[in-house]
Amino acid sequence: MTFSRSKSITRAIAVALILNVFMLGGHSFTYASASFDGSATENVVIVYGNASLEHSRDTRNAEQLMKLYDSLRIHSRIVSLIRVDDYRAGQIQGVTHVFLYGLAEENVNASLGADLRRFSGVIGWIGGGLERYSDYGLQERIAVTGYSNQFTELIFGPGETDDRNETRTLIGETLHVPKLAASDGQTVQRFGWLSDGQKRYPYVLHADKLWAISAIGENASLNDALSRILDQMFDVQRSSWPNVLLMLNNVSPFIDLERLQSTAEWLYEQGVPFIVELRPVFANMEFKQMQRYFEVIREVQQLGGTAVLGNLQGWYPPDAWNTDIERYSETNVTSPEDADVLIALSLQAYLDARIYPLAFTGPMDLLFDQEYVRTMSYFSTFVQNGVWKGYVSDQLPEQAWAGNYVSDKVLLQFDSSNDWEGLQATVERRKKDGATFDDFRNHPNKVSFDESDIASVSGEIRVDGQRVLYEKMVTEEPPEQPPAELSGVNRGIKQTMSFIFIIAGLIVGLFLLAFVAGKRIDRKKHLR
């Protein structure tokens, strides 16, 4: 299970409030997200091989699968995963793109082959196995002539046949990579080459609806080449995309709030909008430190900071080995420790303090965690933050979360409290290079929970449809309360005590008068 049900709600809250500060250096990147722009309508299915991938202790294939998933989510509102052994007829019906990965050693799925023959969208075949589906019309113009473990160099240029400006990059040895060949050079487009030092073969071939991509991998050059091919497949122009999104991570009541405030002021002076990742809070709101925290975040919003809500600190990935067992013990009972309950409490706490989170952020594993299905339904935008922790599960298109996805490839990330020098140097360098910094509020984002809605519309924040301003919260002094009326018994006691005080005062006064008079009589006797 995602949360230990034996822990009390108090402990869960305490764990969620603990600040775990870690350094996230700035990432370089060259493109942003069509999905984030809200312009993406593509629905993508990945059919992948290796039936034991989900439960495999060797995570290398899974890591490549998740990198592919991340690259495709940049372009698509929905990306779902189906193992080839589990594929059933019609599961790619209605989607725009199908990608097949890791099928070189898998048995042919006849239902998949028949659906691919009829499919009218875009097919991306990554790696080997294409020749196994030759009976379904996938090798009419593109063929696999063999496999090689000796490809060590990627040759890639700006166009499919433009070799004048091509670049050569060593990629290390690759395993079981298909040797692609075009059967009709006039109608098949080529993008790049893979070389073994003696002979080279096309890196990518494109004919009609089929794109054959020979390899993906951990090498940065292969990743960049794949991203450029995906631009072509999704018909995206990089030059039209925003340049930089700046993000401050791990903002909580326990950090140096003065440093956060001074950082926000400096970014405001530089004309740089930014994102602040807020830790969930839902207890001890009356404490002075919490009130100070809310005050600073409101000022950060005024200075161009846009809030997003981070994940619970007590979360850890589900154990994939126990997933099947737990499916039989699921109930519809809602626990106060459930993620959706805690996240909703935190959203309400921030909203009450006039702080407006516009997205949810965390590692990609959250998109596959069944206990986060309701939590993810609150948000139209997810910001990938943190490395993938090793969890993935199959999802049909109707099960996959649909929304705007922001990959960490498009973020410059910094720690909120102890990376001031790195942030300042990076911002100044980017500005010198001509970069522009994108405002998160200018993109369509919406958060809906309980009966409340927070949305960004053309740079404005709206709560339940009403435009809000980033003003400071004014705390009104409580009006003076009239004295409470006394009961009959209390009035009697008050009158009695007043009478006693009056009598006591008279007695004391008479005593003083007698004392003074006696002194005067003694003085007269003495004078005589």
Side-chain angles (χ1 to χ4, degrees), residues 38-110:
S39 59
T41 58
E42 284 76 5
N43 185 341
V44 176
V45 169
I46 303 174
V47 180
Y48 66 93
N50 189 349
S52 62
L53 180 61
E54 182 178 349
H55 302 291
S56 175
R57 293 301 187 186
D58 183 357
T59 62
R60 287 176 296 180
N61 287 336
E63 288 173 357
Q64 294 304 317
L65 177 64
M66 294 312 296
K67 287 182 179 180
L68 175 62
Y69 176 90
D70 175 61
S71 298
L72 294 175
R73 283 280 354 199
I74 290 174
H75 299 277
S76 315
R77 285 186 59 82
I78 300 176
V79 177
S80 51
L81 296 169
I82 304 175
R83 282 182 291 186
V84 65
D85 289 348
D86 297 331
Y87 183 86
R88 299 294 179 266
Q91 289 183 332
I92 61 173
Q93 183 177 357
V95 305
T96 59
H97 295 68
V98 175
F99 285 81
L100 303 107
Y101 170 69
L103 304 188
E105 299 178 0
E106 300 292 328
N107 294 326
V108 173
N109 186 312

Side-chain angles (χ1 to χ4, degrees), residues 441-501:
R441 304 174 201 171
N442 290 334
H443 298 272
N445 305 288
K446 187 174 183 180
V447 180
S448 299
F449 64 100
D450 295 339
E451 297 181 356
S452 300
D453 291 323
I454 308 171
S456 58
V457 180
S458 301
E460 295 182 351
I461 304 298
R462 297 182 181 272
V463 175
D464 298 330
Q466 301 298 317
R467 181 174 178 266
V468 297
L469 300 175
Y470 285 117
E471 76 277 9
K472 294 183 179 180
M473 178 178 287
V474 179
T475 304
E476 297 181 357
E477 294 293 335
E480 294 185 3
Q481 298 293 331
E485 295 185 1
L486 298 176
S487 64
V489 175
N490 289 336
R491 281 197 300 270
I493 294 174
K494 181 179 180 181
Q495 292 173 357
T496 302
M497 294 300 296
S498 299
F499 178 76
I500 292 174
F501 282 126

